Amino acid sequence: MRAVSVEDLKPGMILARTLVNDDMVVVLSEDTLLTKAHITRLNFLNIAVVYIKDEYELSKNYQTASSIFNRGNAFVKEYDSVVQEARSIFDETSKSGSVPINETQDMVKDTIAPMARNSGAIDYLYELNHRANDVYNHSLRVSILAGVIAKWMHFNRAKTRELILAGFLHDIGKCKFPQRLLDKSISNLHGEDYEAYIKHTVDGQHILSSVDGLSDGIKLAAMQHHERMDGTGFPFGSTGPDIHEYARIIMIADLYDNITTEREGYIKQTPFAAIAQITENMYTSLDPEVCVPVLTHIKDAFLGSRISLNNGEQGIIAAYPNDFAAHPFISLTSSNEIVNLNEHPELVITEYNPK
């Protein structure tokens, strides 16, 4: 699925999402084969962008696979395959103290980068985030998220792969952590456990410093992904100008994954909670030059998604305010009323169902 400007639509393209107007009336249904008349109508209605099925969805291989499992299941199947490879890389690093870099780079190029280009990656990752929070699962998800962000920031292919590699290796310093530390939220760590946790950033940079051919950005992403633009992070309290671009991106991917993953003492939250936290911190602890493209594209990805609120109401994401407000407008299923969650702090999205 990919977003296409109505101006660029061609007869024969197939609609990937049902299109509704401001009154929540269906304009065109999913799977509609677009005609010249449909495109003219969309122009008349001042609709700027629609989602169409991409080449993968229309390929014979996909059509065959879709009869067995849907596209989300295909993503999960691919993830399950590559996570075993990710685990072996962390296991080998733990035993030898050295990253098997050729194997890691091949995994990035052959598997992770194509997964990150998948237009449904954000949806599918959320479905995976109930799984084990071990370091290689987390690192794999962060690497995919980093690749998605690279796409949103229009990085070229070489820089995208480098950022994905930085995402996968950002927590390599945890490869010798006991599981009890990996399972806990940092907020639950104290004393020696907390000091050991902070040290994983320096340990990661130290491990990567012995690997030939790695850029400074990859090494600094390992050391600086817990730093914050306003100096409130660790291990050194570095501020904006001293934090590498890769680290600024990985800190957001890492934050997003941590918010939307279950672990000890922490219930998995929805992507909308992550969006709200990124929005609230984009001009303080996070980098707005990364946050703006992330928020712009991730909000677009969730338009039309079905949700449940904490008061029992259900609805869909109708829009986001234009001023980077933290929360969306919800069209309630029961009444078609549009509710601005920014004006109703008592209302919280508790469930999210991918399209």
Side-chain angles (χ1 to χ4, degrees):
M1 176 172 62
R2 59 191 176 94
V4 174
S5 166
V6 169
E7 294 179 355
D8 295 329
L9 289 177
K10 306 292 183 186
M13 291 180 171
I14 298 176
L15 203 64
R17 288 188 192 170
T18 295
L19 191 63
V20 296
N21 63 17
D22 291 341
D23 297 322
M24 306 316 300
V25 175
V26 173
V27 175
L28 290 174
S29 298
E30 181 180 345
D31 292 325
T32 296
L33 181 68
L34 294 177
T35 65
K36 188 175 181 180
H38 288 139
I39 298 169
T40 300
R41 183 183 177 198
L42 293 174
N43 274 303
F44 178 77
L45 294 172
N46 293 318
I47 293 171
V49 175
V50 298
Y51 286 87
I52 67 163
K53 294 194 172 180
D54 58 25
E55 293 79 4
Y56 173 61
E57 291 170 293
L58 298 174
S59 70
K60 289 182 180 179
N61 288 339
Y62 175 80
Q63 297 300 333
T64 301
S66 64
S67 65
I68 303 171
F69 46 77
N70 64 35
R71 198 173 177 204
N73 286 340
F75 186 95
V76 172
K77 186 179 179 70
E78 192 165 18
Y79 181 94
D80 285 341
S81 174
V82 74
V83 78
Q84 299 308 316
E85 190 173 355
R87 179 176 184 174
S88 71
I89 288 169
F90 270 81
D91 285 347
E92 184 172 339
T93 303
S94 177
K95 293 174 184 175
S96 68
S98 178
V99 178
I101 194 61
N102 291 334
E103 179 182 342
T104 306
Q105 289 174 325
D106 287 345
M107 180 181 67
V108 166
K109 176 173 66 72
D110 297 336
T111 308
I112 303 179
M115 291 179 76
R117 290 196 295 269
N118 191 312
S119 60
I122 293 293
D123 276 344
Y124 305 146
L125 282 173
Y126 181 69
E127 291 303 293
L128 289 166
N129 282 15
H130 65 283
R131 299 191 174 202
N133 191 40
D134 43 59
V135 65
Y136 53 87
N137 258 297
H138 169 68
S139 296
L140 180 56
R141 291 193 301 265
V142 168
S143 69
I144 296 171
L145 285 166
V148 173
I149 295 172
K151 178 175 66 175
W152 290 341
M153 295 183 72
H154 306 293
F155 286 2
N156 62 35
R157 180 160 294 193
K159 190 173 181 180
T160 295
R161 286 180 181 171
E162 191 169 74
L163 180 62
I164 292 172
L165 182 59
F168 182 73
L169 296 174
H170 80 285
D171 266 349
I172 199 69
K174 291 181 178 178
C175 66
K176 294 187 177 182
F177 266 23
Q179 190 63 39
R180 65 182 181 81
L181 288 185
L182 294 172
D183 287 340
K184 290 186 176 183
S185 167
I186 185 173
S187 61
N188 295 330
L189 297 177
H190 306 283
E192 292 182 359
D193 284 349
Y194 181 74
E195 294 301 322
Y197 185 89
I198 288 179
K199 193 171 178 289
H200 84 268
T201 55
V202 178
D203 289 343
Q205 194 274 344
H206 179 72
I207 290 171
L208 297 181
S209 67
S210 64
V211 179
D212 292 335
L214 289 186
S215 70
D216 288 342
I218 293 174
K219 298 171 187 176
L220 287 171
M223 187 170 68
Q224 295 183 328
H225 64 277
H226 282 290
E227 299 285 8
R228 292 297 182 260
M229 300 293 285
D230 57 4
T232 58
F234 64 82
F236 301 118
S238 300
T239 57
D242 297 321
I243 302 173
H244 193 277
E245 179 186 32
Y246 289 179
R248 300 181 192 194
I249 295 170
I250 300 303
M251 71 172 68
I252 292 177
D254 184 56
L255 177 66
Y256 182 92
D257 188 69
N258 284 331
I259 291 172
T260 56
T261 302
E262 242 176 58
R263 58 188 182 275
E264 180 184 319
Y266 187 88
I267 297 173
K268 169 183 174 179
Q269 299 185 62
T270 67
F272 307 102
I275 290 171
Q277 189 163 329
I278 293 169
T279 301
E280 289 163 3
N281 292 285
M282 67 185 293
Y283 292 113
T284 53
S285 59
L286 303 178
D287 181 1
E289 291 188 9
V290 180
C291 292
V292 168
V294 167
L295 293 171
T296 299
H297 287 86
I298 201 169
K299 288 175 178 180
D300 286 346
F302 289 127
L303 292 179
S305 298
R306 293 172 287 114
I307 58 90
S308 298
L309 297 172
N310 58 340
N311 65 353
E313 288 270 16
Q314 295 183 324
I316 68 168
I317 305 297
Y320 266 90
N322 293 326
D323 59 355
F324 283 105
H327 305 287
F329 293 102
I330 306 297
S331 175
L332 299 179
T333 303
S334 61
S335 62
N336 287 334
E337 177 188 358
I338 302 294
V339 177
N340 182 355
L341 294 188
N342 297 285
E343 298 176 355
H344 293 275
E346 76 281 4
L347 296 179
V348 178
I349 297 173
T350 56
E351 290 185 62
Y352 155 66
N353 300 301
K355 293 173 278 296

